[in-house]
């Protein structure tokens, strides 16, 4: 690994990845592993603006659910074995519609699985991924920011804020929703504003979670609870509330994502603890027990934005730089990881077909576009449908979604395709 440079010397690499959070870091590790199997090693650079600490925008205090299909891919990339100890398995998911009759369950056992997915805390994942990068062949520029870039016929020239310059054949933008690469290249996104804000916090409940996750559609927006490791098992967590421990017998920790209209989210974010817990209890009910504590509340505006064509001359976009999803279905990183795997597959294939490979060639970039199109289009369509369908109180829609949820619980074979989508199987 190379850390922040202070030289104006031009470094030539095959692939430069801008952004080293979930998508960029997993891609860099995947490329380093792939490189050992190719006819020539790849020169890979990763440029990340922030060191992994609790101010990191991509490895912050959030927990995310990684679907079963993504665990399979991370295992194939040799990454999951390093993260496994951080995971809390989701064995069952309970889905319900507040105030209506519709509810259903998705269960791992009938599908022959140990878990439908795993919950991980991003801050901890970030430090493991950066430890692995330090042992790899990837040249890591961190903390360093790309401040300018020039598209050239044979690649891109990148200028970093520490004065370093890099030339790459292929530029990968993994720099998130407000991608600087996208702005420099004059590319735009389609944008849907759902007029919702998510409150994200860790909460403690009075009952053990037994590895259940919950998704509850309320009148104001969806509310999700993901089971977490208790504090005893999770000693490294930079937990905002000192009292937020669940090591006492019978308590459990969940990661809460609660989508609300922006003004209501603002009020609840700033409400005192008891008022917040009472509102949460009212919205969610008592299925998980009594909410007894909440940590720091953080809010995220909820939008869906995506690039219709996530490519440019010698450049591909992955993860949130290509599309930023509403967290309703917990698919953001899962879809981003499929971008990463799609790109790795296209590069591996190019090396099996030709002797001399230009990893930034127009053919390779277009193969990536074709490989990702169907999955991206259908995932984006499904999520917009879910958000609009379940945030709406128009009675035919309410009746339709409740009948849909009931049908899923009465006719278990129908659950398989739903579960497969939730688990990220394509
Ligand atoms: C509340 C919430 C809950 C979620 N829950 C889930 C879930 O359960 N399951 C799931 O799969 N997904 C979930 N997601 C989505 C998931 O968190 C994101 O899709 C994923 O973390 C995005 O990773 P990324 O690497 O693509 O982008 P980002 O995390 O945005 O990272 C971009 C990186 O680029 C760096 N960067 C930016 N500009 C520059 C520059 N000029 N130079 C160098 N570096 C730069 C930034 O520092 C940052 O580290 C959730 C999201 C939210 C908001």
């Amino acid at each position: 690994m190379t850390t922040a440079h202070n030289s104006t010397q031009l470094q030539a690499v095959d692939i430069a990845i801008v952004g080293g959070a979930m998508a960029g870091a997993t891609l860099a590790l995947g490329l380093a592993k792939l490189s050992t199997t190719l006819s020539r090693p790849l020169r890979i650079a990763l440029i990340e603006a922030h060191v992994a600490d609790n101010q990191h925008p991509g490895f912050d205090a959030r927990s995310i659910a990684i679907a079963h299909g993504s665990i399979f891919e991370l295992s194939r990339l040799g990454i999951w074995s390093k993260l496994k100890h951080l995971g809390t398995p989701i064995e069952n998911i309970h889905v319900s519609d507040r105030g209506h009759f519709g509810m259903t369950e998705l269960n791992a056992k009938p599908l022959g699985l140990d878990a439908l997915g795993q919950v991980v805390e991003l801050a901890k994942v970030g430090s493991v991924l950066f430890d692995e990068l330090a042992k790899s062949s990837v040249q890591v520029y961190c903390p360093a920011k790309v401040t300018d870039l020039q598209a050239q016929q044979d690649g891109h020239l990148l200028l970093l804020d520490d004065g370093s310059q890099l030339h790459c054949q292929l530029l990968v933008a993994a720099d998130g929703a407000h991608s600087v690469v996208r702005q420099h290249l004059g590319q735009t996104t389609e944008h849907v504003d759902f007029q919702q804000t998510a409150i994200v916090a860790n909460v403690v409940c009075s009952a053990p979670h037994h590895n259940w996750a919950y998704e509850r559609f309320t009148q104001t927006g969806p509310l999700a609870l993901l089971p977490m490791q208790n504090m005893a098992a999770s000693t490294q967590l930079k937990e905002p509330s000192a009292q937020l421990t669940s090591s006492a017998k019978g308590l459990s920790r969940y990661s809460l994502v609660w989508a609300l209209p922006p003004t209501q989210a603002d009020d609840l974010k700033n409400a005192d603890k008891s008022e917040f817990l009472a509102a949460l209890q009212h919205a969610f009910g008592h299925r998980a027990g009594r909410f007894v504590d909440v940590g720091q509340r953080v809010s995220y505006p909820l939008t869906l934005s995506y690039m219709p064509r996530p490519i440019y001359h010698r450049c591909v976009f992955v993860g949130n730089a290509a599309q930023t999803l509403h967290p309703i279905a917990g698919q953001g990183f899962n879809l981003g990881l499929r971008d990463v795997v799609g790109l790795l597959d296209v590069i591996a294939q190019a090396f099996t077909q030709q002797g001399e490979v230009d990893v930034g060639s127009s053919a390779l970039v277009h193969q990536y576009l074709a490989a990702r199109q169907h999955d991206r289009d259908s995932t984006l369509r499904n999520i917009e449908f879910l958000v609009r369908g379940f945030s709406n109180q128009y009675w035919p829609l309410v009746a339709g979604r409740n009948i849909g949820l009931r049908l899923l619980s009465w006719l278990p074979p129908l659950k398989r395709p739903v579960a497969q989508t939730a688990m990220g199987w394509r």
Side-chain angles (χ1 to χ4, degrees):
M1 177 177 100
T2 317
T3 36
H5 287 232
N6 252 330
S7 102
T8 47
Q9 212 189 337
L10 182 67
Q11 296 270 328
V13 295
D14 296 300
I15 302 173
I17 305 164
V18 183
M22 287 303 281
T26 52
L27 175 62
L29 289 169
L31 281 169
K33 182 165 191 276
L34 173 65
S35 179
T36 61
T37 68
L38 303 179
S39 47
R40 68 170 169 89
L42 290 170
R43 294 162 303 165
I44 309 149
L46 177 72
I47 305 121
E48 167 54 46
H50 295 87
V51 288
D53 64 11
N54 57 357
Q55 302 301 317
H56 197 288
F59 297 130
D60 56 16
R62 255 173 313 148
S63 292
I64 65 165
I66 302 186
H68 186 268
S70 301
I71 300 290
F72 175 80
E73 295 297 352
L74 288 171
S75 303
R76 226 165 47 100
L77 299 178
I79 296 174
W80 181 246
S81 58
K82 316 289 178 200
L83 299 176
K84 203 172 170 193
H85 65 288
L86 301 176
T88 305
I90 301 175
E91 292 171 10
N92 305 285
I93 305 176
H94 185 272
V95 186
S96 59
D97 197 358
R98 188 179 185 281
H100 302 286
F101 59 84
M103 62 173 71
T104 193
E105 287 175 11
L106 298 177
N107 315 93
K109 279 227 172 80
L111 297 164
L113 302 171
D114 290 337
L116 297 165
Q118 299 274 343
V119 181
V120 291
E121 296 170 30
L122 287 179
K124 290 182 183 176
V125 170
S127 52
V128 172
L129 294 182
F130 267 74
D131 285 351
E132 290 306 308
L133 283 165
K135 296 182 224 155
S136 77
S137 58
V138 177
Q139 298 175 38
V140 179
Y141 295 76
C142 179
K145 240 185 212 164
V146 171
T147 50
D148 198 8
L149 60 96
Q150 287 167 21
Q152 299 176 338
Q153 199 182 354
D154 64 344
H156 288 270
L157 183 66
L158 307 183
L159 190 65
L160 276 50
D161 63 353
D162 64 359
S164 311
Q165 292 187 21
L166 283 170
H167 182 275
C168 60
Q169 287 186 338
L170 176 68
L171 173 61
V172 182
D175 53 346
H178 307 289
S179 169
V180 166
V181 172
R182 196 174 60 223
Q183 288 163 30
H184 273 290
L185 298 177
Q187 300 300 291
T188 54
T189 54
E190 304 281 328
H191 195 77
V192 184
D193 188 345
F194 294 110
Q195 293 296 316
Q196 283 185 340
T197 297
I199 295 190
V200 178
N202 294 343
V203 294
V204 176
C205 258
S206 62
H209 58 56
H210 297 303
N211 300 93
W212 278 82
Y214 299 92
E215 179 96 43
R216 189 150 173 78
F217 296 96
T218 74
Q219 285 189 346
T220 51
L223 186 164
L225 289 172
L226 299 174
M228 295 173 75
Q229 291 178 349
N230 66 30
M231 283 301 279
S234 170
T235 44
Q236 316 248 321
L237 179 69
K238 298 166 196 97
E239 186 54 65
S241 161
Q243 292 146 12
L244 195 51
T245 59
S246 59
S247 40
K249 208 166 169 249
L251 298 181
S252 58
R253 283 200 316 150
Y254 289 91
S255 167
L256 165 75
V257 180
W258 188 5
L260 294 150
T263 46
Q264 206 174 334
D266 218 35
D267 291 347
L268 280 172
K269 190 181 155 197
N270 299 318
D272 66 36
K273 202 180 263 190
S274 57
E275 200 183 327
F276 179 85
L277 291 171
L280 176 61
Q281 197 80 65
H282 178 70
F284 183 77
H286 285 80
R287 189 167 291 273
R290 198 163 50 80
F291 295 105
V292 294
D293 204 355
V294 57
Q296 188 187 10
R297 286 156 257 167
V298 181
S299 61
Y300 296 84
L302 297 179
T303 56
L304 171 76
S305 64
Y306 63 97
M307 296 177 72
R309 283 168 62 84
I311 58 166
Y312 189 72
H313 166 74
R314 290 187 171 275
C315 177
V316 299
F317 294 78
V318 299
N320 274 25
Q323 65 273 316
T324 303
L325 309 183
H326 189 299
I328 184 171
Q331 290 302 316
F333 172 63
N334 291 306
L335 183 60
L337 181 64
R338 298 202 291 274
D339 292 343
V340 165
V341 170
L343 180 60
L344 289 169
D345 287 350
V346 165
I347 294 172
Q349 214 181 342
F351 274 89
T352 61
Q353 285 165 1
Q354 309 155 25
E356 209 29 58
V357 177
D358 174 357
V359 288
S361 70
S362 170
L364 192 143
V365 164
H366 279 86
Q367 274 161 19
Y368 169 76
L369 179 68
R372 296 302 305 130
Q373 190 157 1
H374 175 69
D375 179 25
R376 288 183 81 234
D377 287 355
S378 60
T379 307
L380 292 167
R381 252 198 326 270
N382 288 344
I383 287 177
E384 191 173 352
F385 170 78
L386 257 181
V387 176
R388 296 208 183 281
F390 279 94
S391 302
N392 199 312
Q393 294 309 307
Y394 176 55
W395 74 261
L397 264 182
V398 174
R401 72 189 182 215
N402 277 282
I403 290 165
L405 287 177
R406 270 289 169 210
L407 268 179
L408 277 175
S409 47
W410 289 334
L411 300 172
L414 280 180
K415 284 185 185 176
R416 188 167 272 271
V418 175
Q420 280 173 338
T421 305
M423 289 189 301
W425 285 106
R426 298 279 133 190

